[in-house]
Amino acid sequence: MSDTRNADTDGGTDATTGTDAERFEAVVVGAGPGGAAAAAVLADNGVETLVLERGVEAGSKNVSGGLIYAGKSAAYTADDLFPGFREEATERPVTRNYMDNVAGDEVHTIDLKRVHEHDTAWVDSVLRRRMDSWLAERVHERTAEAGGGLLTDVRVNGLLWEDGEAVGVTCDKLDPIRADVVIAADGVNSELARAAGLMDWEEPDEWFQGVKAVVDVEPDVIADRFDVAEDEGVARLFGGDLFDGVRGGGFLYTNRDSLSIGTVFHLDSLAEERAEPHELLDGLLTHPHLGQWLPDEYSEREYSAKLVPDSKKVAHGSPHRDRMLLVGDAAGQMQAQGPIIKGMNHAVNAGGLAAEAYVEAKSRNAPHSAGELYASKLREEGVMDELRPTRYEVTRRLSESDAVTNVLDSVARSSVGRFGLRATGGLAARLFNSPFVLGMIPDTRTSYVTVPTVLAEELGERATGANDADPPTLEERIGELTYDTDVGNPHIELVDESFEASGVAVTACPVSAEGFGGGCYREETVRVNGGEERVVSLDTQPCVECGTCAVVADTEWTHPRGGKGVAFDEG
Amino acid sequence: MHTVVLTKGVPDFREGKVSFDEDGHLERGNTPTTMNPNDEHALRAALQTRVRHGGRVDVMSMGPPGYTSVLREAMESVYADDLFLISDKQFAAADTWATAITLATAIQHLGEPSLIFAGFKTADGETGHTGPQTCWCLDMPLITHVVALDVDEEAERVRAKRLVEGDVSEIETVEAPLPAFVVADPEFEPSYRTARHRLERKRLRAEARERAETAEEEVTFWDHAELNLDPDYVGLDGSPTIVESVDPIPKAPSEREATVVDPGDPEAMGEVVDELAPFAGGD
């Protein structure tokens, strides 16, 4: 260990040489479930581990739809790694899962029990601020015992290079840190994955975008409306014509004393349709079918958003470079299994496997082989096949073309197709429950919109309830979010402000909207040389750091410093 | 590394907290006591020293028994170890000189600390004398207006950056052998640039949170007998400063007379307009 006592100068050290760098055996970047799992396994094996988290508290930067799965066949699960996890850190065990296919007011419900329980030990609803901060406390205790610990409020901004090799990390406000292994669990917009050249997901079709409202509901109202006991919960998914033809769907999960209600859409579809995410969410929140579950007084605790990688397209088969291993979202490990999205379970599993790989590699006196070992563990444990099913690669080539989609849509909507769906309504339910089929479902309008709509039209029943929910306006939602930055005002740079290049950001950004000037982006018409030009301008404050604009617009932005930026209370 | 921080309880001057009698004199009994704001910089400098070099930080104050709450604040903010309150009716009404003699004796009673920290003047007396006078009694090198410091344990020296003439535009670096006395400037900025330092600070915080719950019960009280001080040389009797008089703070000028006008009453509003018209014309 280098002597750091006198290195505490304001000037810091030269990050390119790393001569005065501090040293830990392992550095874990990010204290979400992936980072927490990795750190726990490292510490339990006596590895001196430092965990660095950018949020003011673990979980304050994180959003999830809200279900964490534990795979029966997974090598690592959250409750195995962290005793008491389900009792203290999660919301409710989700014992029932349904898919509501919607066409207008008609709804046809399919029980997703089989696929929900397939290879599943348990499923719990979670809110990330609470869950991640609980995990962080345990992680700090365990890593401190092994000579390290967990620090919040620290932004890791890049890799420490030495002779062309990444040998550690650099941080804002901290001297560089060397490590034998760096576990990068720094999320969907991972700066480390990009710095190492491991992330090149530039296209909107490689992403989903989710927005979510956490709605305040008393536990006895949840018990009454969902017919559940205190230790039971419900998940409902929504598809069909609810969302103006945008590819994706909605979800509703019961928490202890709130509901997580949100939508997840293919980002390319959102961009093509120039759809407003918050309006699509409102479409779900105010649908008559939801009235039966919402409280009499609708009150939102938080509005949030997140980008989700589509693992089928971007999960990295070999997510490592030099001594850095990627886990979780940073490695694209987010599985959309038809309507069911699983991410946190893969992050936990991968975090454990990455740590295990390092411990094994070290015991063989070859710590540099940790990355290769980790990649082979991901393959051998079947994680890669869940994330990138080979059968999907085959079907997407056949089916993800507009021509084929149009034909399939026409068939589904034709009288023959309708007859088929009516006659085989039970078959549709079986297909929705087949992990094998879901693993190869093409990402097209047919599966997300057309089939659910026709199912509801042919087999559905009219939703009779009233829905008096009056969701807040975008302005009110943004006003409730905390955003605090010191990286410049605005903190985003528009490389090309022409409407052609960046106009989609106005609509796709979850905190901006056409005709709304208080959001992150707005559309403007400016006079130029006697003519008029449509350009995109930036407002300053509201931002949820989802990264949507970096994908759909010609934009450059960096993460705010530690403790800065958006802070979610629920997540 | 054993450091001692001197702190003082002062009336809480925040709005709505201060109570004055009819003559404009401060009513100490009705005004809550809080830690002298400038002492926070001294405490932060001491914490930085402890985080970097280990050892202990003790906090000392002189005042009535109620000052234990100030000491508790110190424990909560900088995770101090032992708390000492120099408290005795014999010490009452001491000027800065008598206070310095008392504090210096108490510090010597503690042993031989390597560094003693004090804040830059108090929010009530504002003389800025007590720290330097205490240092003089202890016969130590004194560094004032310190904005950054580091200790070389091997060489037993402290190196500090200090403001010259209290001016942020001119900074000099000075060195002194330990033990030394440091007066922290309000511009003092602690620096924690390594992860290990931050982890150590987090560890101290967790430890101190538990201790702070019973902090006020754990305070060590010392009186003149314990410190072997002659009552003639401390408190009012030992204070050469004589206060001739105290000028009450002048009251703000009384508000001008106001007339309430109902904006719905056209006649009254007409009168307002008539009143304002000459000014609108530039008269």
Side-chain angles (χ1 to χ4, degrees), chain A residues 14 54-55 236 290 318 322 325 406 413 431 509 515 524 552:
Chain A
D14 183 357
R54 188 162 56 94
R236 299 200 83 100
L290 266 84
S318 193
D322 301 332
L325 283 54
N406 288 338
R413 289 190 179 284
L431 293 178
C509 167
E524 278 188 328
V552 300

Side-chain angles (χ1 to χ4, degrees), chain A residues 4 18 48 52 89 157 246 251 290 293 315 403 412 419 432 493 531 545:
Chain A
T4 57
E48 180 197 56
L52 298 172
N157 59 21
V246 184
F251 60 84
L290 266 84
W293 300 305
F419 174 78
F432 269 108
E493 195 182 324
E545 294 172 46

Side-chain angles (χ1 to χ4, degrees), chain A residues 278-291:
Chain A
H278 70 108
E279 286 178 0
L280 299 177
L281 173 65
D282 287 348
L284 173 64
L285 287 167
T286 55
H287 191 275
H289 188 51
L290 266 84

